Amino acid sequence: MRVAYLLAALAALHAAPSMGQVRTSRTAEGSSTAAITEAARTQADATDRALREMWGLSAEEMQRAKVLALGPRASFSVDKLSPLEVLGIHARTDAERRQYAERLARLFREDVERSIAWDREMQAAMARLYPNEPMVSYEGLPRVRSSVGAADMANVPRGQIVEQAAPAPRHPLGR
């Protein structure tokens, strides 16, 4: 049943009018609708092209990823699965799976490097704009009764705890 649905979706995509072929009606309202449809299609094509470039995919790869994402993958995965992940999960060969994994790994590494560079620049900006001020102030917040270990596990700053000894371990037999 799912396969038939996917094949029907693919057939519909191939049968859809191409960029220059827009259905028009003979009324003035119809021609404005055709212009709006053409503008929307042009915008969608530009967005699709930009997304393909971001992910380093061909038009065929992006189309395959979209169709696969509509099938069972839509039920099994989170909403934010990348097209590379969809293609990798549904790879037809080990070599294809490896290729998609390596492409995603490169993109991920580049993103981590950008994030770290941004964090460093943000920290430097805070230091320039607000010298001698902490980024976060816990002043005025109530202190917490806790052991140091429990506070550390909960990311409570040590200056905010009223140290309390950890409870003695219980004997397994209740003695």
Side-chain angles (χ1 to χ4, degrees):
M1 184 70 174
R2 291 267 190 188
V3 173
Y5 171 77
L6 291 174
L7 290 175
L10 277 173
L13 288 169
H14 287 289
S18 65
M19 266 307 287
Q21 303 171 322
V22 177
R23 294 182 188 149
T24 59
S25 67
R26 295 174 195 235
T27 65
E29 185 179 300
S31 62
S32 67
T33 302
I36 292 169
T37 302
E38 181 65 24
R41 188 169 288 150
T42 301
Q43 178 62 40
D45 286 347
T47 301
D48 199 46
R49 195 174 319 108
L51 285 171
R52 283 194 325 260
E53 288 174 12
M54 276 184 221
W55 291 106
L57 297 172
S58 68
E60 293 78 23
E61 287 174 315
M62 183 58 101
Q63 188 62 44
R64 183 167 185 262
K66 285 181 178 182
V67 170
L68 289 169
L70 292 173
R73 183 62 31 221
S75 298
F76 302 147
S77 296
V78 296
D79 293 340
K80 300 291 184 186
L81 205 59
S82 76
L84 283 171
E85 290 168 296
V86 171
L87 291 169
I89 291 167
H90 294 278
R92 294 167 282 207
T93 65
D94 290 342
E96 191 178 69
R97 183 175 299 104
R98 186 176 310 110
Q99 174 205 18
Y100 289 127
E102 288 176 0
R103 286 161 76 179
L104 185 59
R106 281 188 209 97
L107 288 172
F108 185 77
R109 181 183 176 114
E110 290 168 8
D111 189 62
V112 168
E113 288 171 352
R114 283 190 301 269
S115 294
I116 291 170
W118 167 249
D119 184 61
R120 287 179 181 147
E121 191 57 42
M122 192 54 195
Q123 299 245 354
M126 289 295 290
R128 279 191 311 274
L129 296 171
Y130 307 101
N132 304 319
E133 289 184 32
M135 285 183 74
V136 177
S137 173
Y138 297 98
E139 193 174 309
L141 293 177
R143 293 175 54 130
V144 177
R145 293 186 68 73
S146 174
S147 67
V148 172
D152 286 349
M153 286 177 30
N155 290 322
V156 174
R158 288 188 178 188
Q160 286 303 112
I161 64 170
V162 175
E163 196 168 342
Q164 172 181 326
R170 290 185 166 190
H171 191 277
L173 300 176
R175 297 179 188 165

